[in-house]
Amino acid sequence: MKAKAALSLALAALIALPVVAQDAAEPVETPEVPETSAFRTFEPTQEEWENFSAAGRIPHQGGEAVYNAVCAGCHMPDGEGAVGAGMYPALAGNEQLEFASYPIYVVVHGQKAMPPIGGILDDQQVADVVNYIRSSFGNDFVEAAGEATAEEVAETRQ
């Protein structure tokens, strides 16, 4: 019985606490602050903007170099894919690579566990890595269906 009384008393105190706290609070005056600071109105030079905007980009050029820097960690150096912490599909002998539009879309926008890496690659790098995976690892899709182009990548980004 005492436990019920103690529980009821504790519950009543919890319910009343916000009301007491609201009555006890004094309004706090905040000092006047200008709407913007010099930092927020900073206007970079063209050179500063180029350095800043390029900081998140991959510097590698050519399909094989981009693949080794970005893709091989999951899809493996031989394009055979892997299963472990996740499932990384094989690129070797993968018929979904026959036409360039599909791998371009996946590289730029991502799909399922594949993150979108279009933000760190320019159009030419995406075209180069797509052509590399479509013509390596036993794949011969570039010769049969044509190369991916930077223009196709640009269209996919829109």
Side-chain angles (χ1 to χ4, degrees), residues 43-140:
E43 299 272 340
T45 65
Q46 183 64 31
E47 181 182 1
E48 290 168 331
W49 176 250
E50 288 172 8
N51 286 338
F52 175 76
S53 64
R57 300 245 178 222
I58 299 297
H60 302 81
Q61 297 298 315
E64 184 176 12
V66 171
Y67 181 84
N68 289 332
V70 181
C71 311
C74 296
H75 293 284
M76 300 293 110
D78 59 3
E80 291 294 328
V83 176
M87 195 276 197
Y88 308 98
L91 301 174
N94 187 333
E95 292 184 9
Q96 291 184 327
L97 304 177
E98 181 178 358
F99 298 102
S101 58
Y102 175 74
I104 288 172
Y105 182 88
V106 173
V107 169
V108 171
H109 298 290
Q111 183 181 37
K112 297 182 183 176
M114 166 76 180
I117 59 175
I120 62 171
L121 302 174
D122 64 30
D123 294 346
Q124 189 59 56
Q125 288 171 308
V126 173
D128 289 347
V129 76
V130 166
N131 287 329
Y132 177 74
I133 64 173
R134 293 178 64 237
S135 63
S136 300
F137 317 122
N139 296 330
D140 193 20

